[in-house]
Amino acid sequence: MNVAVAKTGNGRAVSDLFASAEGRLPGSPSVIAARREAFETYERLGLPHRRIEEWKYTDLRALVGEVLPLAAPPDAAALKRAADAVKAHAIAGARKLVLVDGVFAADLSDVKALASEVDFKTLRETLEKDSGLLNTAATDAVIALNAAMATDGVVLDIADGAQLSAPIQIIHIATAASASTFTRSQVAVGKGARATIIESFVAAGAKAYQVNDAVILSVGDNTDLAHIRLMDDSPDAVNITSQFVTVGANTKLNFFNMTTGAAVSRLQGFITLAGEGSELSVNGVNLLQKTEHGDTTLVVDHAVPNCFSREVFRAVIDDRAHSVFQGRIIVRPDAQKTDGKMMIRALLLSDEAEADNKPELEIFADDVSCGHGATAGALDDNLLFYLKARGLPEKQAQALLIQAFVGEAIEQIADDNLREHVIGIAERWLERRQ
Amino acid sequence: MALLEVKDLKVRVEEREILHGLTLTVNEGEIHAIMGPNGSGKSTLSHVIAGKPGYEVTDGEILFKGEDLLAMAPNERAAKGVFLAFQYPVEIPGVSTMNFLRTALNAQRKARGESEYSTPDFLKKVREVSKSLNIPQDMLKRGVNVGFSGGEKKRNEVLQMALFEPSLCILDEMDSGLDIDALRIAADGVNALHSPKRAMVVITHYQRLLNYIVPDVVHVMSNGRVVKSGGKELALELEASGYAQFEDAA
Ligand SMILES: Nc1ncnc2c1ncn2[C@@H]1O[C@H](COP(=O)(O)OP(=O)(O)OP(=O)(O)O)[C@@H](O)[C@H]1O
Ligand SMILES: [Mg+2]
């Protein structure tokens, strides 16, 4: 790979990232113009660094340094490797939508098996008509870069009243080393619908690659939606994902994220509660080891009265890994009777492990019940000794306590099968430690 | 044959010597009682035998079945057959008692090179043992000791002892916090485990327990040493006259 092509911090070289990709980026001429504008924003801002408040603990200039060139579309060999990865990571019964190196792979997907109430398009198709899907807040460089470079994604429209019995699983597979993928998906959930969306990020052979994903989720009134994200990218990869969620009235939302992969990752979620009477549960577990850096940054914006939000996050940090959690709860002046709470706990398994927890409340209404708590600490020696005195070797005793620790977040997953699946992921991570 | 030999053991905790040269030999098949005033070092001795960190052995040795116990990790000691029923069992939220019991039992078996229990065999065994100790099944679904009453925690210790079948059982104030019926049930559980190959060390303040679990030898501990040993009548003597007579000796 030619580093000069992708080097940041130097205007001309950065432009090469876009110039070399431009011919391959889908979209009508107006879309390409919008992309160019987004790229200029990115170029002006550059990769986020520690002097930008939101990125204080995740300095991409230091951690990542450069944005790798756009991945080539997958060839037959890549698709074959991806097919094996799909088999390994598919959730039983789910309808799969597969993106390989940032390109939708129809042959690996179950488009025909989608329920009739689900309208499916690729981002590529959508962008032939208009650039609407690229319009996201352009103040964040990685989001602007995503808008400029997004090659593909899934665009789902779930009809009003649809009751989807099978989950939809979007699987992102990386087969190309030393390259970047940019994906952008939109899911619109109609009024009164019920659905489960799973997103998986996995590698099929590829090691050092970069993922920049964006998800736009709009949730109608009276819906019941579960969203589970399982990020298990290669230990050398970078994954930056931005979620934009707008929630209608009287909905039930259950979000969960599991991070077990990537050298550097950040999941940034921007959730706006825009309809009254909704119940939001956002939870996650980050399992970090070696020198991994895992960041969860979440803004829950109570824009209207009478909503309820709960956040339960657990990070397990081994070796020299670094966990970041930034959670902000905003309560707008009108949003009376808001009930918003967030509880973050980090478990440090080594002296060199690091946790930065930054919970924030911004409350502009007076009749609310909000709170947060953040702790960081080691395993309790007394509990460890009890287990060892009963015959458990050190690592196994730790594993049992770690399972209990992450269990507090995992138990928030409403669906029994998915909860068991996530418990299995945690167990396998712990087995690898032993 | 000697199962446990504690020889001239000196132990410090945070720079302070707690055991000042303690000697104790327990043979297979024997039941020993250790009595002694608060703070005399009974729990300290039991913790050092089990391998709790934070205790510095400055002198002496502990042999278990002739092997150097102090060189073993706590889990190795457990697998070799050392079991301590704690005076204050900890609560472990989020770890179901059932999962804990199975993991512990299989870890011990694995360490001994024995095959692990299958789930049905394990369940059958737990059911038998918990029934004999009057422990309801739904208690086993809860986190280890979480929300258990003091007496239930103690019974859970005896349950583990029955399940793991250790060769040396040390019971640190098993009787504290137990009502009379629970005491009888727990004591019956302990007696049921008594065998010619297994030894028991019962730490208690009350001679009452020794009516149920009848000791072969009673030791009096004072100020970090065994200051007197005798038959079960020694316990009755202590009940009548207290520990004052030993304070000087110590
Ligand atoms: N971790 C510790 N740090 C400091 N001192 C300790 C520690 N553990 C025990 N000790 C001291 O060691 C002495 C012996 O304590 P131990 O718990 O062994 O007594 P005991 O005989 O079991 O008493 P009891 O009958 O009250 O249970 C006490 O003076 C106690 O304060
Ligand atoms: Mg004691």
Side-chain angles (χ1 to χ4, degrees):
Chain A
M1 191 214 64
N2 183 353
V3 171
V5 171
K7 199 85 189 156
T8 58
N10 155 337
R12 210 182 54 78
V14 169
S15 304
D16 292 344
L17 173 66
F18 188 67
S20 64
E22 196 173 3
R24 287 191 283 139
L25 298 174
S28 61
S30 69
V31 168
I32 298 295
R35 286 181 182 279
R36 203 167 290 141
E37 202 179 306
F39 195 81
E40 276 160 16
T41 301
Y42 163 71
E43 213 172 20
R44 199 174 61 246
L45 299 168
L47 272 182
H49 52 84
R50 73 174 72 82
R51 287 183 307 281
I52 294 175
E53 186 57 25
E54 291 81 0
W55 291 85
K56 186 172 162 190
Y57 301 107
T58 299
D59 183 331
L60 288 186
R61 286 195 191 171
L63 289 165
V64 175
E66 56 177 9
V67 176
L68 296 170
L70 184 66
D75 58 16
L79 287 171
K80 187 162 180 314
R81 265 183 288 148
D84 293 336
V86 168
K87 278 199 202 94
H89 295 277
I91 303 267
R95 305 290 182 255
K96 302 181 293 290
L97 299 171
V98 180
L99 293 153
V100 181
D101 298 333
V103 178
F104 182 70
D107 290 346
L108 302 179
S109 301
D110 302 324
V111 175
K112 291 217 176 71
L114 286 172
S116 58
E117 304 98 319
V118 181
D119 180 63
F120 167 80
K121 285 192 193 67
T122 61
L123 178 77
R124 180 170 288 268
E125 287 165 344
T126 311
L127 292 179
E128 295 308 330
K129 294 192 191 70
D130 78 296
S131 66
L133 268 181
L134 300 182
N135 297 339
T136 38
T139 51
D140 185 305
V142 299
I143 298 169
L145 184 62
N146 179 282
M149 303 285 287
T151 47
D152 216 342
V154 305
V155 180
L156 291 170
D157 209 326
I158 299 173
D160 289 354
Q163 304 292 307
L164 304 186
S165 52
I168 296 172
Q169 184 182 14
I170 303 168
I171 309 180
H172 297 255
I173 298 171
T175 78
S178 305
S180 288
T181 64
F182 299 87
T183 45
R184 179 170 281 238
S185 295
Q186 175 176 269
V187 180
V189 186
K191 288 187 180 122
R194 181 193 178 91
T196 298
I197 312 279
I198 303 158
E199 282 194 84
S200 305
F201 291 84
V202 298
K207 290 208 163 74
Y209 58 90
Q210 298 176 352
V211 173
N212 181 332
D213 182 49
V215 183
I216 303 158
L217 188 56
S218 64
V219 186
D221 297 347
N222 300 304
T223 55
D224 185 345
L225 178 73
H227 183 278
I228 311 276
R229 179 177 178 273
L230 307 172
M231 199 282 278
D232 190 28
D233 271 314
S234 144
D236 304 307
V238 176
N239 183 310
I240 309 290
T241 295
S242 309
Q243 297 173 331
F244 308 91
V245 185
T246 315
V247 185
N250 302 313
T251 66
K252 265 183 101 122
L253 255 94
N254 191 295
F255 277 91
F256 187 86
N257 173 63
M258 181 86 168
T259 294
T260 47
V264 176
S265 68
R266 161 131 153 166
L267 170 62
Q268 44 180 8
F270 307 92
I271 304 178
T272 303
L273 291 161
E276 290 191 37
S278 286
E279 246 178 68
L280 172 68
S281 169
V282 195
N283 313 289
V285 170
N286 285 2
L287 301 177
L288 306 171
Q289 58 181 351
K290 305 214 173 72
T291 55
E292 289 170 358
H293 178 104
D295 173 342
T296 303
T297 292
L298 205 59
V299 180
V300 172
D301 187 345
H302 283 262
V304 295
N306 294 314
C307 287
F308 175 97
S309 66
R310 284 290 177 276
E311 298 168 45
V312 178
F313 283 84
R314 297 286 178 266
V316 178
I317 314 152
D318 204 355
D319 307 319
R320 292 161 58 208
H322 184 185
S323 164
V324 177
F325 182 92
Q326 305 185 101
R328 193 188 312 159
I329 298 176
I330 304 172
V331 182
R332 303 282 167 189
D334 285 347
Q336 300 296 359
K337 307 281 182 204
T338 287
D339 181 343
K341 298 200 172 65
M342 144 171 71
M343 186 65 210
I344 313 155
R345 289 176 66 195
L347 178 60
L348 303 160
L349 295 179
S350 102
D351 291 341
E352 290 173 293
E354 203 182 330
D356 285 300
N357 290 331
K358 190 179 159 203
E360 285 178 290
L361 300 176
E362 279 178 26
I363 300 177
F364 303 102
D366 49 19
D367 185 13
V368 301
S369 161
C370 290
H372 65 71
T375 66
L379 287 169
D380 183 327
D381 284 336
N382 285 320
L383 304 194
L384 273 176
F385 173 63
Y386 188 84
L387 294 175
K388 286 192 270 186
R390 295 303 180 242
L392 272 68
E394 173 80 29
K395 283 281 165 87
Q396 213 182 342
Q398 290 185 6
L400 214 53
L401 296 179
I402 295 167
Q403 270 172 38
F405 176 79
V406 299
E408 294 166 18
I410 295 174
E411 71 187 19
Q412 309 297 325
I413 300 175
D415 182 277
D416 293 347
N417 290 330
L418 289 173
R419 193 170 56 246
E420 287 303 316
H421 183 86
V422 170
I423 290 171
I425 294 173
E427 277 172 3
R428 284 191 294 284
W429 187 87
L430 289 167
E431 275 162 21
R432 289 202 300 274
R433 275 192 84 230
Q434 297 195 16
Chain B
M1 195 191 108
L3 190 62
L4 177 74
E5 297 163 87
V6 181
K7 299 180 186 168
D8 200 26
L9 189 71
K10 293 185 180 162
V11 172
R12 286 167 171 259
V13 180
E14 291 168 4
E15 303 301 306
R16 182 180 146 215
E17 193 170 274
I18 309 284
L19 301 183
H20 310 289
L22 184 143
T23 297
L24 175 73
T25 300
V26 178
N27 295 309
E28 283 180 340
E30 290 178 349
I31 298 181
H32 289 232
I34 298 180
M35 305 182 81
N38 296 130
S40 55
K42 303 181 297 297
S43 292
T44 301
L45 173 66
S46 71
H47 288 156
V48 173
I49 292 172
K52 188 169 178 171
Y55 297 88
E56 190 197 347
V57 176
T58 54
D59 206 0
E61 63 178 344
I62 306 180
L63 300 179
F64 180 68
K65 295 178 182 169
E67 288 182 81
D68 180 6
L69 193 69
L70 294 172
M72 297 178 208
N75 51 300
E76 293 173 295
R77 301 180 195 197
K80 291 241 191 251
V82 175
F83 181 90
L84 167 61
F86 288 91
Q87 181 175 3
Y88 302 109
V90 294
E91 297 190 8
I92 315 181
V95 176
S96 84
T97 305
M98 211 60 167
N99 183 23
F100 158 69
L101 293 175
R102 179 167 43 214
T103 311
L105 182 59
N106 281 334
Q108 291 191 20
R109 292 180 66 89
K110 196 173 159 198
R112 291 194 293 261
E114 298 165 10
S115 65
E116 296 189 3
Y117 266 96
S118 71
T119 304
D121 288 351
F122 168 77
L123 291 175
K124 186 162 166 269
K125 201 170 153 71
V126 173
R127 222 168 281 136
E128 279 169 16
V129 175
S130 52
K131 196 167 165 225
S132 71
L133 290 168
N134 218 0
I135 294 174
Q137 289 292 306
D138 61 334
M139 223 169 92
L140 304 179
K141 290 187 190 133
R142 287 196 248 155
V144 177
N145 293 326
V146 176
F148 287 23
S149 73
E152 286 169 341
K153 283 180 185 163
K154 294 299 175 78
R155 263 187 284 165
N156 191 21
E157 296 289 286
V158 179
L159 167 77
Q160 292 171 50
M161 196 169 97
L163 203 59
F164 302 152
E165 303 178 283
S167 38
L168 174 67
C169 308
I170 303 169
L171 300 141
D172 193 355
E173 298 197 22
M174 186 199 83
D175 48 344
S176 70
L178 288 185
D179 64 42
I180 295 180
D181 292 338
L183 180 64
R184 186 177 292 118
I185 292 165
D188 286 348
V190 172
N191 284 328
L193 282 167
H194 188 210
S195 84
K197 285 278 166 201
R198 187 172 287 138
M200 311 273 178
V201 175
V202 181
I203 297 171
T204 184
H205 285 293
Y206 304 105
Q207 123 76 21
R208 188 183 62 188
L209 176 68
L210 305 180
N211 291 335
Y212 297 105
I213 304 173
V214 181
D216 299 300
V217 188
V218 174
H219 305 277
V220 181
M221 246 183 102
S222 178
N223 194 20
R225 283 191 193 91
V226 172
V227 291
K228 185 167 185 179
S229 302
K232 60 172 185 276
E233 65 289 344
L234 181 55
L236 289 167
E237 222 175 276
L238 289 169
E239 189 97 335
S241 55
Y243 294 115
Q245 52 177 317
F246 301 108
E247 311 261 275
D248 299 332

